[in-house]
Amino acid sequence: MAREFSRSRRVGEQIQRELAELIQREVKDPRVGMVTVSAVDVSRDLAHARVFVSRFDDSEKIEETLEALRHAGGFLRRELGRRMKMRMVPELRF
């Protein structure tokens, strides 16, 4: 029997994969550093997504990293919309 997965969970997993690639290849801000996207929680109405990140190289600079990701949030959201072809892309909260 097939497992039941909610749409918000599937969208969250897809956002996690796409964000990891976008942050690694497209974000040029040096404050971001070595970041991995650990999880994404998407609300049931797909309007908001909480993005959980961890930093490998220096965990003391996590606030700088979060500020850089918040600054790049509009760009990341636009690129997610292009790649995932969603009508409404969730607002990203890091």
Side-chain angles (χ1 to χ4, degrees):
M1 183 174 220
R3 290 185 180 173
E4 294 293 324
F5 290 108
S6 67
R7 181 161 192 249
S8 61
R9 184 172 173 187
R10 290 191 315 261
V11 169
E13 290 172 356
Q14 181 68 27
I15 288 174
Q16 181 178 354
R17 287 190 295 271
E18 296 292 338
L19 271 180
E21 185 176 332
L22 280 170
I23 291 172
Q24 179 183 11
R25 296 184 183 187
E26 301 294 328
V27 175
K28 304 296 185 201
D29 195 333
R31 297 178 294 171
V32 174
M34 297 280 292
V35 171
T36 184
V37 179
S38 19
V40 176
D41 286 340
V42 180
S43 63
R44 293 188 72 188
D45 62 354
L46 303 178
H48 304 282
R50 290 186 347 190
V51 181
F52 298 93
V53 296
S54 60
R55 185 172 169 152
F56 285 123
D57 52 355
D58 190 6
S59 61
E60 295 170 355
K61 296 183 178 181
I62 194 70
E63 285 302 319
E64 287 181 10
T65 301
L66 289 175
E67 184 61 34
L69 288 173
R70 287 184 196 114
H71 184 72
F75 166 76
L76 293 171
R77 188 174 179 197
R78 183 181 71 228
E79 289 299 317
L80 279 176
R82 287 182 182 164
R83 290 180 176 212
M84 295 179 63
K85 297 183 173 75
M86 292 179 65
R87 186 174 295 188
M88 188 175 101
V89 179
E91 177 186 340
L92 302 175
R93 296 179 185 170
F94 294 95

